[in-house]
Amino acid sequence: MTELKLPKDDRSIELYTLSGTPIALEKRSAADFNRVAFAAAHVVADPFAENDPWLTPAIDWEGTLHFRHRLWDLGLGVAEAMDTAQRGMGLAWPQAQELISRSLKEAASRKDALIACGVGTDHLVGTDYSLDAIVDAYLEQLDFVQGEGGRVILMASRALAAAAKSPDDYLETYARVLAPAKEKVIIHWLGEMFDPALEGYWGSGDHMAAMDTCLGMISANADKIDGIKISLLSKEKEILMRRRLPSGVRMYTGDDFNYAELIAGDEHGHSDALLGIFDSIAPAASKALASLKRGANNEFFDILEPTVALSRHIFKAPTRFYKTGVVFLAYLNGLQNHFTMIGGQESTRSTQHFAELFRLADKANVLADPDEATHRMKAFLAVRGVN
């Protein structure tokens, strides 16, 4: 039996015995699924760079791109340069450009690689901009991604959230940005729980009123839109919006709390997936999605449901710090040899948080090698004072 000492909430130490059965890594393709499934992928930091971690990102390109090939090997698509990659939270537009360019070249080297790339306005400094300036900023990034041969995920804009005076400002901005899109775009509505600067997006602090505006924008531009990813952590709001989407427009779940039941769907429809948690649970997600296509719904839930508690823990408030848990699990699973993040974001969660993450990852069967994960966890805890 593999065991280690873990801190508990009451500050005591328990001897924890692992019980999970690792899910094997099996190669698949997107054709093995009846859902479109993207994993929003993280970036691997370079721990040996001579830099100021809070100010200057240093990326391990080999490790970062190797991780994307792993996702493609499992049949998952890569949602590139999104918030999971610390976009706008350590990863600036110049580094995002290089990430997008490198990843698209890697994708082009394969026959089966699904990839779409984030387009936003994060290269604008501050938030005091006109709508024209915001449209120009969006178009600058859209032109870059399309020039590299990439599909677009249109991200929410902090500058637009600050500048818009009414829902009509959102409608006008999105119409102008979507007009030159060469392929259908995925819209991303990121909630304020992920980024407080986006509160009131679509012109209202009431999500239902905001949804009306967003749906109006989608209906007016449906020929340019593949789907929408909403990240509001509310299955009820997602289901309601899903049922109101125009025919042919997908709902990509961004609900890291309820994704299993949303992907499975109901008699009225289902959600596809564009999830940060799929970065962390990729082998389980791949196996579960293949089960769903075979009609083995019980197996789908048996595999995926145990991961939901882990995801809810990783994405707990303050939700914007979820990237730390994603990278920590990559470290435990040997997908990178260090627990270092750009921007020094490895410091955003407590020792107790990491201990519970380890327990939940074990119970979710997503520790690839329990012995190695335990060795790494012990080394981590030693520098946190657990001996």
Side-chain angles (χ1 to χ4, degrees), residues 224-235:
K224 293 285 189 177
I225 297 174
D226 168 58
I228 179 167
K229 165 189 163 85
I230 65 168
S231 301
L232 300 179
L233 302 182
S234 166
K235 64 180 180 181

Side-chain angles (χ1 to χ4, degrees), residues 133-209:
I134 292 166
V135 169
D136 288 343
Y138 263 131
L139 292 178
E140 179 183 339
Q141 294 198 12
L142 184 140
D143 287 346
F144 174 79
V145 170
Q146 293 190 149
E148 294 289 307
R151 288 181 58 195
V152 168
I153 303 171
L154 198 61
M155 303 169 70
S157 166
R158 292 174 180 170
L160 180 56
K165 305 301 183 187
S166 70
D168 286 344
D169 287 343
Y170 287 89
L171 298 177
E172 176 190 342
T173 299
Y174 275 80
R176 292 172 64 188
V177 174
L178 288 167
K182 296 177 182 177
E183 294 187 62
K184 288 191 174 184
V185 166
I186 299 173
I187 304 295
H188 186 192
W189 178 4
L190 188 67
E192 63 273 10
M193 63 289 296
F194 287 87
D195 185 347
L198 298 176
E199 187 168 4
Y201 212 73
W202 302 112
S204 177
D206 178 345
H207 285 162
M208 302 311 295

Side-chain angles (χ1 to χ4, degrees), residues 82-100:
M82 303 292 290
D83 47 306
T84 305
Q86 296 180 238
R87 181 77 178 271
M89 291 166 272
L91 188 79
W93 174 234
Q95 293 79 37
Q97 285 179 285
E98 185 172 1
L99 176 62
I100 289 166

Side-chain angles (χ1 to χ4, degrees), residues 289-343:
L289 289 166
S291 299
L292 190 65
K293 183 175 181 179
R294 294 197 314 270
N297 288 28
N298 288 341
E299 182 178 330
F300 169 82
F301 281 108
D302 286 345
I303 296 167
L304 217 52
E305 278 291 353
T307 70
V308 172
L310 169 66
S311 185
R312 290 180 178 180
H313 180 70
I314 289 174
F315 285 80
K316 71 185 293 186
T319 304
R320 64 187 182 276
F321 296 144
Y322 78 87
K323 278 78 72 176
T324 302
V326 167
V327 175
F328 187 65
L329 196 47
Y331 163 68
L332 291 178
N333 278 329
L335 301 173
Q336 52 191 78
N337 291 324
H338 58 87
F339 178 43
T340 306
M341 297 177 65
I342 60 174

